[in-house]
């Protein structure tokens, strides 16, 4: 479990953000994706970014940019499938591009839980709900994921629970999984410290 690809999911339409590309929105003079890169990079051996718009701007961060293989923005599962398809490692740690407070030990805790289970997915549990966009996923699930996306089975949490998984307790830091989905949430976060 020492060789893991980190995948930043920035391929969505940003509908609740007025259609803006969330990973490129500025938080205290830095793009949101930059915070996620800074937090995730020390935890993984490789890093890729899933983006369907502004690919050249994401490429400027210095990491490979991969696009969805599936048409019409089918959602986060398509971004995860793109990451699994292009990863050079067996395990891929997914994280959304709009979570600037990512846990510094996310990968360590998820991978440690997998060492004790025969699971193919590790999911953070924040004390109230699972956080499927932060899944650590084995690349062998790609064929099933592609098939389910093609069939329109797009509910992320349901898809994760339908496969061998382990839920990992992160109830000590539920705020680390907060997405900045709306202009109001982004504005409120502007006043928080780094």
């Amino acid at each position: 479990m020492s060789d893991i690809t980190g995948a930043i999911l920035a391929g969505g339409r940003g509908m609740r953000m007025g259609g803006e590309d969330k990973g490129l929105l500025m938080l205290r003079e830095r793009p949101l994706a930059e915070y996620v890169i800074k937090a995730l990079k020390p935890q993984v051996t490789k890093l890729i970014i899933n983006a369907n718009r502004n690919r050249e701007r994401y490429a400027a961060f210095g990491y490979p940019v991969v696009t969805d293989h599936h048409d019409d923005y089918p959602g986060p599962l398509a971004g995860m499938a793109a990451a699994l398809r292009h990863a050079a490692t067996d395990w891929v740690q997914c994280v959304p591009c709009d979570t600037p407070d990512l846990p510094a030990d996310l990968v360590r805790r998820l991978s440690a839980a997998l060492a004790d289970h025969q699971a193919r997915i590790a999911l953070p549990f924040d004390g109230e709900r699972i956080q499927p966009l932060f899944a650590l996923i084995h690349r062998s699930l790609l064929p099933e994921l592609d098939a389910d996306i093609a069939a329109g089975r797009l509910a992320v949490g349901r898809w994760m629970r339908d496969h061998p998984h382990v839920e990992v307790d992160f109830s000590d830091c539920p705020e680390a999984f907060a997405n900045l989905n709306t202009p109001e949430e982004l504005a409120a976060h502007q006043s928080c410290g780094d």
Side-chain angles (χ1 to χ4, degrees):
M1 291 296 298
S2 61
D3 199 16
I4 295 173
T5 297
I8 297 173
L9 304 176
R13 295 185 188 187
M15 299 305 289
R16 285 179 285 176
M17 199 63 85
E20 295 284 342
D21 193 329
K22 288 194 292 183
L24 300 175
L25 291 176
M26 302 302 282
L27 175 65
R28 297 186 296 277
E29 302 181 6
R30 291 165 50 198
L32 275 173
E34 189 175 315
Y35 289 89
V36 180
I37 290 169
K38 183 179 178 183
L40 185 60
K41 180 58 182 152
Q43 303 186 52
V44 296
T45 50
K46 297 171 180 62
L47 195 65
I48 59 178
I49 300 171
N50 163 244
N52 296 309
R53 302 182 286 167
N54 302 303
R55 291 189 293 274
E56 55 291 326
R57 289 181 65 190
Y58 281 109
F61 288 114
Y63 301 99
V65 176
V66 300
T67 59
D68 290 356
H69 180 72
H70 304 273
D71 296 327
D72 299 326
Y73 292 94
L77 287 178
M80 293 177 174
L84 294 178
R85 182 169 286 105
H86 293 280
T89 61
D90 285 337
W91 291 95
V92 176
Q93 175 65 64
C94 298
V95 297
C97 67
D98 60 351
T99 51
D101 302 318
L102 199 65
D105 59 354
L106 176 69
V107 176
R108 181 185 61 77
R109 290 166 72 172
L110 292 177
S111 59
L114 282 167
D116 297 329
H117 294 82
Q118 295 300 311
R120 287 295 182 217
I121 303 170
L123 298 169
F125 176 74
D126 69 8
E128 292 187 10
R129 62 187 64 85
I130 62 165
Q131 294 289 340
L133 297 184
F134 298 82
L136 178 58
I137 309 174
H138 196 272
R139 199 168 48 160
S140 63
L141 289 173
L142 178 59
E144 293 170 63
L145 183 52
D146 277 338
D148 285 338
I149 293 168
R153 292 187 287 273
L154 303 175
V156 184
R158 184 180 309 142
W159 190 88
M160 299 287 175
R161 284 193 163 123
D162 283 348
H163 294 84
H165 71 280
V166 58
E167 296 179 16
V168 184
D169 185 17
F170 279 82
S171 59
D172 58 317
C173 58
E175 69 286 346
F177 301 98
N179 296 76
L180 303 184
N181 280 319
T182 66
E184 294 77 19
E185 289 169 348
L186 182 62
H189 215 77
Q190 294 286 2
S191 60
C192 301
D194 257 324

